[in-house]
Amino acid sequence: MASWQLYVFVLPAFIYFLVFHYGPMYGVVIAFKDYMPSLGIFGSPWVGFKHFERFFDSYYFWDLMKNTLGISLYSLVVGFPLPIILALALNEVKDGFFKKFTQTVTYAPNFISVVVISGMLIAFLSPSTGIINHFIEFLGFERISFMEDPRWFKTIYVLSGVWQGTGWGSVIYLAALSGVDVQLHEAATVDGATRLQRIWYINLPTIIPTMVILLIMNVGSLMAMGYEKILLLQNPLNIESSNVIATFVYKQGLLDAQYSYAAAVGLFNSLINAVLLIVVNKVSRKVSEVSLW
């Protein structure tokens, strides 16, 4: 039987999740009520699925779904393979100044605030003073209003996220690669295997379980993108491609004080994520025998 000291060690984390994650879940009931602060959660009238039906019947429902899924899938397709490629490349570099310098340069953007990143993007992409447009004009092309053109929003959001997170995302793959038996590489070298063949047949299979687990988690949070960066980059001219469920919930709940409606939309979003997580995990368990549970 485990010692009581181990339970005490885990207790703070247990209390944290109980108080800040599981405790507030009772408030989800306001999605099925017309919540009024003066009456409280249990005193507000029950309306059933009224707010869900309102959201499903709204003219902006499909636009929100299209933008949310579009940005999320774009981020997944572009952003998921790059940390793997970077980790495989860094693993082949000998320890030294170049490797340390590369790791520092690629990890550093992860520690920059979202507010700072957004300010940098707005400044760099400005049609009048931005360095990117100065370069475009230098090449003989017309300046582009990146932040005002809805067609550019998804690309700007995704590529800036890739720049910020690729280096940090490669850390877990480098950790997995550190467990590769050196004797496998030595034996492969003796057999005449090239560096690319050793990467393909030794390194890559080693990190496949890690890749699958991270892919499951990424797909499970496909609809749960943060609203902070999108909200900071959003303006009336690009809103048709930047308005996603997260920003919609923020505006409806905190700005317009439609608490029940915002809770219903947020609950719908969370249910979609839960279903995706369960389905992808089940498929992964059958196909690769790797899963979260």
Side-chain angles (χ1 to χ4, degrees):
M1 184 176 178
S3 175
W4 64 269
Q5 288 94 338
L6 295 178
Y7 289 106
V8 173
F9 184 74
V10 175
L11 187 61
F14 175 76
I15 294 174
Y16 167 78
F17 281 99
L18 187 66
V19 173
F20 295 104
H21 290 267
Y22 289 96
M25 286 178 67
Y26 81 95
V28 78
V29 73
I30 69 173
F32 304 94
K33 293 189 170 192
D34 270 334
Y35 173 68
M36 290 177 280
S38 59
L39 298 177
I41 293 178
F42 296 105
S44 300
W46 183 272
V47 295
F49 292 96
K50 169 187 170 183
H51 301 296
F52 293 92
E53 293 172 357
R54 175 187 166 190
F55 179 59
F56 298 149
D57 294 338
S58 63
Y59 70 91
Y60 43 74
F61 172 75
W62 290 111
D63 287 336
L64 291 172
M65 292 294 292
K66 180 184 71 174
N67 290 337
T68 304
L69 284 173
I71 294 176
S72 296
L73 289 173
Y74 193 174
S75 299
L76 185 63
V77 170
V78 176
F80 185 75
L82 291 180
I84 300 171
I85 296 171
L86 178 62
L88 291 171
L90 288 174
N91 189 62
E92 294 301 310
V93 179
K94 294 182 179 179
D95 289 331
F97 173 78
F98 178 75
K99 184 174 184 178
K100 293 177 180 178
F101 177 77
T102 304
Q103 288 178 314
T104 302
V105 169
T106 54
Y107 296 170
N110 181 72
F111 301 99
I112 302 176
S113 165
V114 174
V115 176
V116 175
I117 290 287
S118 301
M120 290 170 60
L121 289 172
I122 293 171
F124 291 164
L125 298 174
S126 170
S128 57
T129 60
I131 188 173
I132 303 298
N133 270 303
H134 283 315
F135 183 68
I136 291 173
E137 188 178 46
F138 174 76
L139 295 176
F141 299 100
E142 292 185 5
R143 292 173 176 264
I144 302 173
S145 299
F146 290 101
M147 299 308 301
E148 288 75 31
D149 191 340
R151 295 172 299 178
W152 282 100
F153 183 85
K154 291 182 176 67
T155 299
I156 293 169
Y157 178 87
V158 171
L159 293 185
S160 61
V162 167
W163 169 71
Q164 189 174 13
T166 297
W168 189 250
S170 67
V171 172
I172 190 169
Y173 295 111
L174 284 170
L177 287 168
S178 66
V180 177
D181 191 348
V182 178
Q183 293 181 352
L184 291 175
H185 282 282
E186 293 174 349
T189 303
V190 171
D191 290 338
T194 64
R195 176 171 289 187
L196 286 176
Q197 288 174 327
R198 286 188 281 117
I199 291 173
W200 184 261
Y201 292 108
I202 298 176
N203 289 348
L204 199 56
T206 301
I207 62 174
I208 282 179
T210 305
M211 290 165 54
V212 172
I213 293 297
L214 291 178
L215 181 62
I216 293 171
M217 295 176 67
N218 285 339
V219 173
S221 59
L222 203 62
M223 304 279 287
M225 65 172 63
Y227 69 90
E228 299 91 347
K229 185 178 174 183
I230 293 181
L231 201 64
L232 290 166
L233 296 177
Q234 194 176 79
N235 60 57
L237 296 177
N238 64 28
I239 198 167
E240 68 177 77
S241 63
S242 64
N243 199 24
V244 297
I245 291 179
T247 57
F248 181 77
V249 169
Y250 167 78
K251 292 175 181 177
Q252 294 294 317
L254 295 182
L255 301 185
D256 296 341
Q258 298 188 48
Y259 305 114
S260 292
Y261 185 47
V265 178
L267 179 59
F268 164 75
N269 194 36
S270 299
L271 287 174
I272 295 295
N273 281 325
V275 171
L276 285 172
L277 180 63
I278 293 170
V279 170
V280 174
N281 187 71
K282 194 169 185 178
V283 171
S284 174
R285 188 167 61 243
K286 288 185 177 180
V287 172
S288 65
E289 298 183 353
V290 177
S291 63
L292 292 175
W293 62 83

